[in-house]
């Protein structure tokens, strides 16, 4: 008996394969992360992330133009401040580094969507994502005092020109606090992209070099999620939806494809996947060694995030991917 059903019939020709492809990656799916540092003329490569740079505001504007020219619709901004303190002043100050970068980018490339990452870890002296009692070395982040600082941060980012606020600290009630803050300040139309299901992951290592945001003591496991859990991710997204989130994020992406899928099934909001620093570095390292074909591996990986349910992908590969998709 020969088989009657022959799925291979639809694989015989490249154009036919193209016609029946179910998931297609577009440049418009991509969001490119940028790291802003004080100073001028600075473009400092992050050692553990070849091809990724810390950029001063003048350089970040050039980069934003290039990103927009490649057809990428949005960037997400992280900042490395001059000084860090217990109040995370650099996060919410009008002259903060992300505020300056957002204003400069919007002035130079008004059509590029600027997303501001809203967290405190880059700005606190201890490197945690929230407020800690002075002198408390146990690393116990206080939830509600943190909400006040996040609210101030989000409002100042919106005032500086950020189009979307992306809170990433995993504090309870952070979406609601930020929503209220934005509304009170007149930013009813500024969407919130919540890092709703963010795991305590070892894949963030290279980012912490890039953003100089490693906790000086303890770890982030009292606020970020345990990697064994996925039911809890659904609880997190339900809360964020109820609090007014406009978009939801799952982070990291590669080891959490099942979570992306479940979140997609459980909501009707756009879902973003964060292809994090460690995922980027692994591919880069293998590619630089000549062990894998970078272009093919990256496009396969990004397409699979979309197949798993991601509508948007935050990725350090965005510029390369945009060139390859042209
Ligand atoms: C912190 C934050 C992290 C990332 C973005 N914002 C990680 C962390 O230190 O917990 C990770 C991004 C990446 O690894 O690419 N709020
Ligand atoms: Zn943080």
């Amino acid at each position: 008996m020969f088989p009657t059903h022959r799925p291979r019939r639809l694989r015989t020709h490249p154009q036919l394969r193209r016609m029946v492809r179910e998931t297609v990656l577009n440049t418009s799916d991509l969001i490119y992360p940028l790291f802003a540092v004080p100073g001028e003329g600075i473009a400092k490569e992050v050692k553990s992330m070849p091809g990724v740079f810390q950029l001063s505001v003048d350089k970040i504007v050039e980069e934003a133009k290039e990103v927009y020219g490649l057809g990428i619709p949005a960037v997400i901004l992280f900042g490395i401040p001059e000084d860090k303190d217990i109040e995370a002043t650099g996060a919410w100050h009008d002259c903060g580094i992300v505020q300056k970068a957002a204003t400069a980018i919007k002035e130079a490339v008004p059509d590029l969507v600027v997303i501001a990452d809203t967290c405190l870890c880059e700005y606190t002296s201890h490197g945690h994502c929230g407020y800690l009692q002075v002198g408390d070395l146990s690393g116990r982040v206080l939830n509600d005092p943190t909400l006040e600082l996040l609210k101030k941060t989000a409002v100042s980012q919106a005032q500086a020109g950020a189009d979307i606020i992306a809170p990433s600290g995993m504090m309870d009630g952070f979406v609601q606090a930020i929503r209220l803050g934005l509304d009170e300040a007149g930013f009813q139309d500024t969407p919130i992209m919540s890092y709703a299901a963010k795991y305590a992951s070892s894949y963030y290592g290279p980012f912490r070099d890039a953003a100089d945001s490693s906790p000086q003591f303890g770890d982030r496991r009292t606020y970020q999620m345990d990697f064994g859990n996925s039911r809890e991710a659904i609880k997190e997204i339900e809360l964020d939806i109820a609090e007014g989130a406009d978009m939801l994020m799952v982070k990291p992406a590669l080891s959490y494809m099942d979570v992306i899928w479940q979140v997609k099934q459980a909501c009707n909001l756009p879902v973003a996947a964060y292809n994090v620093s460690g995922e980027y570095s692994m591919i880069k390292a293998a590619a630089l060694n000549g062990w894998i074909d970078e272009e093919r591996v990256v496009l396969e990986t990004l397409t699979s995030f979309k197949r798993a349910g991601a509508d948007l992908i935050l990725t350090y590969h965005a510029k390369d991917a945009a060139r390859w998709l042209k």
Side-chain angles (χ1 to χ4, degrees), residues 117-122 127-130 168-170 198 207 213 220 223-224:
D117 178 88
T118 305
C119 200
L120 308 182
C121 48
E122 295 121 69
H128 277 286
C129 300
S168 65
M170 291 294 282
K198 178 175 178 184
F207 173 92
S213 62
R220 302 209 202 289
Y223 38 104
Q224 298 178 349

mmCIF file of all heavy atoms in Angstrom, residues 117-122 127-130 168-170 198 207 213 220 223-224, ligand 2:
data_model
loop_
_atom_site.group_PDB
_atom_site.id
_atom_site.type_symbol
_atom_site.label_atom_id
_atom_site.label_comp_id
_atom_site.label_asym_id
_atom_site.label_seq_id
_atom_site.Cartn_x
_atom_site.Cartn_y
_atom_site.Cartn_z
ATOM 1 N N ASP A 117 11.407 51.560 28.804
ATOM 2 C CA ASP A 117 11.399 50.527 29.833
ATOM 3 C C ASP A 117 11.286 51.258 31.165
ATOM 4 O O ASP A 117 12.060 52.178 31.433
ATOM 5 C CB ASP A 117 12.686 49.705 29.782
ATOM 6 C CG ASP A 117 12.742 48.651 30.874
ATOM 7 O OD1 ASP A 117 12.240 47.543 30.642
ATOM 8 O OD2 ASP A 117 13.283 48.951 31.962
ATOM 9 N N THR A 118 10.299 50.871 31.960
ATOM 10 C CA THR A 118 10.067 51.558 33.223
ATOM 11 C C THR A 118 10.419 50.638 34.373
ATOM 12 O O THR A 118 9.645 49.760 34.738
ATOM 13 C CB THR A 118 8.590 52.008 33.316
ATOM 14 O OG1 THR A 118 8.295 52.797 32.158
ATOM 15 C CG2 THR A 118 8.330 52.804 34.567
ATOM 16 N N CYS A 119 11.646 50.813 34.882
ATOM 17 C CA CYS A 119 12.092 50.023 36.035
ATOM 18 C C CYS A 119 13.130 50.835 36.787
ATOM 19 O O CYS A 119 13.572 51.881 36.311
ATOM 20 C CB CYS A 119 12.668 48.678 35.593
ATOM 21 S SG CYS A 119 12.670 47.477 36.949
ATOM 22 N N LEU A 120 13.511 50.355 37.960
ATOM 23 C CA LEU A 120 14.439 51.132 38.783
ATOM 24 C C LEU A 120 15.835 50.538 38.860
ATOM 25 O O LEU A 120 16.767 51.187 39.316
ATOM 26 C CB LEU A 120 13.875 51.281 40.209
ATOM 27 C CG LEU A 120 12.439 51.824 40.330
ATOM 28 C CD1 LEU A 120 12.069 51.960 41.807
ATOM 29 C CD2 LEU A 120 12.285 53.164 39.621
ATOM 30 N N CYS A 121 16.001 49.270 38.387
ATOM 31 C CA CYS A 121 17.253 48.558 38.675
ATOM 32 C C CYS A 121 18.504 49.221 38.098
ATOM 33 O O CYS A 121 19.586 49.089 38.651
ATOM 34 C CB CYS A 121 17.162 47.108 38.226
ATOM 35 S SG CYS A 121 16.532 46.883 36.559
ATOM 36 N N GLU A 122 18.358 49.940 36.977
ATOM 37 C CA GLU A 122 19.538 50.603 36.427
ATOM 38 C C GLU A 122 19.915 51.846 37.253
ATOM 39 O O GLU A 122 20.993 52.379 37.088
ATOM 40 C CB GLU A 122 19.299 51.034 34.973
ATOM 41 C CG GLU A 122 19.107 49.882 34.004
ATOM 42 C CD GLU A 122 17.749 49.952 33.297
ATOM 43 O OE1 GLU A 122 17.533 50.856 32.476
ATOM 44 O OE2 GLU A 122 16.896 49.091 33.611
ATOM 45 N N GLY A 127 20.918 48.038 42.803
ATOM 46 C CA GLY A 127 20.620 47.266 41.598
ATOM 47 C C GLY A 127 19.323 46.467 41.629
ATOM 48 O O GLY A 127 19.050 45.699 40.700
ATOM 49 N N HIS A 128 18.503 46.644 42.664
ATOM 50 C CA HIS A 128 17.204 45.965 42.671
ATOM 51 C C HIS A 128 16.169 46.810 41.913
ATOM 52 O O HIS A 128 16.357 48.011 41.707
ATOM 53 C CB HIS A 128 16.749 45.671 44.108
ATOM 54 C CG HIS A 128 17.371 44.412 44.639
ATOM 55 N ND1 HIS A 128 16.972 43.168 44.227
ATOM 56 C CD2 HIS A 128 18.401 44.228 45.514
ATOM 57 C CE1 HIS A 128 17.705 42.250 44.830
ATOM 58 N NE2 HIS A 128 18.592 42.860 45.612
ATOM 59 N N CYS A 129 15.068 46.146 41.534
ATOM 60 C CA CYS A 129 14.052 46.802 40.707
ATOM 61 C C CYS A 129 13.073 47.652 41.509
ATOM 62 O O CYS A 129 12.088 48.143 40.963
ATOM 63 C CB CYS A 129 13.278 45.758 39.899
ATOM 64 S SG CYS A 129 14.333 44.806 38.796
ATOM 65 N N GLY A 130 13.311 47.777 42.816
ATOM 66 C CA GLY A 130 12.368 48.540 43.614
ATOM 67 C C GLY A 130 13.025 49.217 44.794
ATOM 68 O O GLY A 130 14.250 49.208 44.933
ATOM 69 N N SER A 168 8.725 46.926 33.853
ATOM 70 C CA SER A 168 9.365 45.609 33.821
ATOM 71 C C SER A 168 9.755 45.083 35.188
ATOM 72 O O SER A 168 10.443 44.081 35.292
ATOM 73 C CB SER A 168 10.604 45.662 32.919
ATOM 74 O OG SER A 168 11.573 46.530 33.466
ATOM 75 N N GLY A 169 9.303 45.748 36.259
ATOM 76 C CA GLY A 169 9.805 45.380 37.581
ATOM 77 C C GLY A 169 9.052 44.289 38.312
ATOM 78 O O GLY A 169 9.457 43.870 39.389
ATOM 79 N N MET A 170 7.911 43.834 37.755
ATOM 80 C CA MET A 170 7.127 42.754 38.379
ATOM 81 C C MET A 170 6.679 43.076 39.799
ATOM 82 O O MET A 170 6.578 42.173 40.635
ATOM 83 C CB MET A 170 7.905 41.428 38.346
ATOM 84 C CG MET A 170 8.081 40.836 36.967
ATOM 85 S SD MET A 170 6.526 40.309 36.215
ATOM 86 C CE MET A 170 6.214 38.757 37.046
ATOM 87 N N LYS A 198 7.359 37.779 33.592
ATOM 88 C CA LYS A 198 8.814 37.903 33.505
ATOM 89 C C LYS A 198 9.437 36.973 34.531
ATOM 90 O O LYS A 198 9.131 37.052 35.721
ATOM 91 C CB LYS A 198 9.225 39.348 33.774
ATOM 92 C CG LYS A 198 10.718 39.569 33.750
ATOM 93 C CD LYS A 198 11.036 41.032 33.907
ATOM 94 C CE LYS A 198 12.522 41.281 33.932
ATOM 95 N NZ LYS A 198 12.812 42.704 34.180
ATOM 96 N N PHE A 207 22.698 41.261 29.588
ATOM 97 C CA PHE A 207 21.981 42.541 29.729
ATOM 98 C C PHE A 207 22.482 43.305 30.942
ATOM 99 O O PHE A 207 22.626 44.523 30.913
ATOM 100 C CB PHE A 207 20.473 42.290 29.874
ATOM 101 C CG PHE A 207 19.663 43.526 30.200
ATOM 102 C CD1 PHE A 207 19.105 44.286 29.185
ATOM 103 C CD2 PHE A 207 19.453 43.928 31.517
ATOM 104 C CE1 PHE A 207 18.353 45.414 29.472
ATOM 105 C CE2 PHE A 207 18.712 45.056 31.821
ATOM 106 C CZ PHE A 207 18.157 45.798 30.796
ATOM 107 N N SER A 213 23.233 46.714 35.752
ATOM 108 C CA SER A 213 22.081 46.630 36.656
ATOM 109 C C SER A 213 22.036 45.347 37.483
ATOM 110 O O SER A 213 20.962 44.914 37.889
ATOM 111 C CB SER A 213 20.797 46.742 35.838
ATOM 112 O OG SER A 213 20.692 45.659 34.922
ATOM 113 N N ARG A 220 16.594 38.381 42.251
ATOM 114 C CA ARG A 220 15.294 38.976 41.948
ATOM 115 C C ARG A 220 14.126 38.003 42.149
ATOM 116 O O ARG A 220 13.036 38.214 41.649
ATOM 117 C CB ARG A 220 15.280 39.460 40.494
ATOM 118 C CG ARG A 220 16.354 40.476 40.142
ATOM 119 C CD ARG A 220 15.879 41.377 39.025
ATOM 120 N NE ARG A 220 16.929 42.037 38.278
ATOM 121 C CZ ARG A 220 17.699 43.019 38.729
ATOM 122 N NH1 ARG A 220 17.574 43.447 39.978
ATOM 123 N NH2 ARG A 220 18.613 43.575 37.940
ATOM 124 N N TYR A 223 10.492 38.917 43.275
ATOM 125 C CA TYR A 223 9.534 39.635 42.409
ATOM 126 C C TYR A 223 9.393 39.015 41.024
ATOM 127 O O TYR A 223 8.309 38.994 40.454
ATOM 128 C CB TYR A 223 9.791 41.138 42.346
ATOM 129 C CG TYR A 223 11.234 41.613 42.317
ATOM 130 C CD1 TYR A 223 11.804 42.068 41.127
ATOM 131 C CD2 TYR A 223 12.019 41.646 43.468
ATOM 132 C CE1 TYR A 223 13.122 42.530 41.090
ATOM 133 C CE2 TYR A 223 13.334 42.108 43.437
ATOM 134 C CZ TYR A 223 13.874 42.539 42.243
ATOM 135 O OH TYR A 223 15.171 42.993 42.198
ATOM 136 N N GLN A 224 10.457 38.461 40.448
ATOM 137 C CA GLN A 224 10.314 37.787 39.151
ATOM 138 C C GLN A 224 9.849 36.348 39.365
ATOM 139 O O GLN A 224 10.034 35.771 40.435
ATOM 140 C CB GLN A 224 11.637 37.824 38.392
ATOM 141 C CG GLN A 224 12.083 39.259 38.086
ATOM 142 C CD GLN A 224 13.413 39.334 37.371
ATOM 143 O OE1 GLN A 224 14.131 38.338 37.253
ATOM 144 N NE2 GLN A 224 13.770 40.523 36.913
HETATM 145 ZN ZN1 LIG B 2 14.388 46.104 36.913
#
